[in-house]
mmCIF file of all heavy atoms in Angstrom:
data_model
loop_
_atom_site.group_PDB
_atom_site.id
_atom_site.type_symbol
_atom_site.label_atom_id
_atom_site.label_comp_id
_atom_site.label_asym_id
_atom_site.label_seq_id
_atom_site.Cartn_x
_atom_site.Cartn_y
_atom_site.Cartn_z
ATOM 1 N N CYS A 82 2.795 -8.166 43.222
ATOM 2 C CA CYS A 82 3.324 -9.053 44.260
ATOM 3 C C CYS A 82 2.164 -9.632 45.069
ATOM 4 O O CYS A 82 1.280 -8.891 45.509
ATOM 5 C CB CYS A 82 4.276 -8.274 45.170
ATOM 6 S SG CYS A 82 4.809 -9.222 46.622
ATOM 7 N N GLN A 84 2.176 -10.709 47.977
ATOM 8 C CA GLN A 84 2.212 -10.351 49.399
ATOM 9 C C GLN A 84 1.915 -8.879 49.648
ATOM 10 O O GLN A 84 1.097 -8.548 50.497
ATOM 11 C CB GLN A 84 3.584 -10.698 50.003
ATOM 12 C CG GLN A 84 3.688 -12.170 50.384
ATOM 13 C CD GLN A 84 5.012 -12.493 51.090
ATOM 14 O OE1 GLN A 84 5.552 -11.682 51.824
ATOM 15 N NE2 GLN A 84 5.508 -13.689 50.853
ATOM 16 N N CYS A 85 2.581 -7.997 48.900
ATOM 17 C CA CYS A 85 2.458 -6.567 49.206
ATOM 18 C C CYS A 85 1.689 -5.790 48.142
ATOM 19 O O CYS A 85 1.400 -4.617 48.323
ATOM 20 C CB CYS A 85 3.846 -5.943 49.399
ATOM 21 S SG CYS A 85 4.773 -5.747 47.865
ATOM 22 N N HIS A 86 1.401 -6.423 47.007
ATOM 23 C CA HIS A 86 0.648 -5.806 45.905
ATOM 24 C C HIS A 86 1.387 -4.672 45.215
ATOM 25 O O HIS A 86 0.780 -3.887 44.488
ATOM 26 C CB HIS A 86 -0.749 -5.366 46.366
ATOM 27 C CG HIS A 86 -1.546 -6.502 46.922
ATOM 28 N ND1 HIS A 86 -2.269 -7.359 46.123
ATOM 29 C CD2 HIS A 86 -1.684 -6.972 48.188
ATOM 30 C CE1 HIS A 86 -2.837 -8.285 46.882
ATOM 31 N NE2 HIS A 86 -2.499 -8.080 48.142
ATOM 32 N N SER A 87 2.695 -4.589 45.436
ATOM 33 C CA SER A 87 3.517 -3.662 44.657
ATOM 34 C C SER A 87 3.837 -4.330 43.316
ATOM 35 O O SER A 87 3.402 -5.454 43.055
ATOM 36 C CB SER A 87 4.807 -3.355 45.419
ATOM 37 O OG SER A 87 5.608 -2.440 44.694
ATOM 38 N N VAL A 93 6.380 -13.073 44.207
ATOM 39 C CA VAL A 93 6.693 -12.256 45.385
ATOM 40 C C VAL A 93 7.853 -11.322 45.023
ATOM 41 O O VAL A 93 8.812 -11.734 44.371
ATOM 42 C CB VAL A 93 7.053 -13.146 46.600
ATOM 43 C CG1 VAL A 93 7.341 -12.284 47.826
ATOM 44 C CG2 VAL A 93 5.901 -14.113 46.900
ATOM 45 N N CYS A 94 7.751 -10.083 45.444
ATOM 46 C CA CYS A 94 8.710 -9.056 45.004
ATOM 47 C C CYS A 94 10.015 -9.107 45.811
ATOM 48 O O CYS A 94 10.078 -9.733 46.869
ATOM 49 C CB CYS A 94 8.068 -7.672 45.098
ATOM 50 S SG CYS A 94 8.053 -6.993 46.771
ATOM 51 N N CYS A 97 9.692 -8.019 49.581
ATOM 52 C CA CYS A 97 9.057 -9.027 50.453
ATOM 53 C C CYS A 97 9.985 -10.219 50.694
ATOM 54 O O CYS A 97 9.932 -10.855 51.754
ATOM 55 C CB CYS A 97 7.747 -9.514 49.831
ATOM 56 S SG CYS A 97 6.416 -8.296 49.909
HETATM 57 ZN ZN1 ZN C 18 6.010 -7.654 47.735
#
Side-chain angles (χ1 to χ4, degrees):
Chain A
C82 172
Q84 278 185 34
C85 73
H86 302 276
S87 181
V93 181
C94 80
C97 287

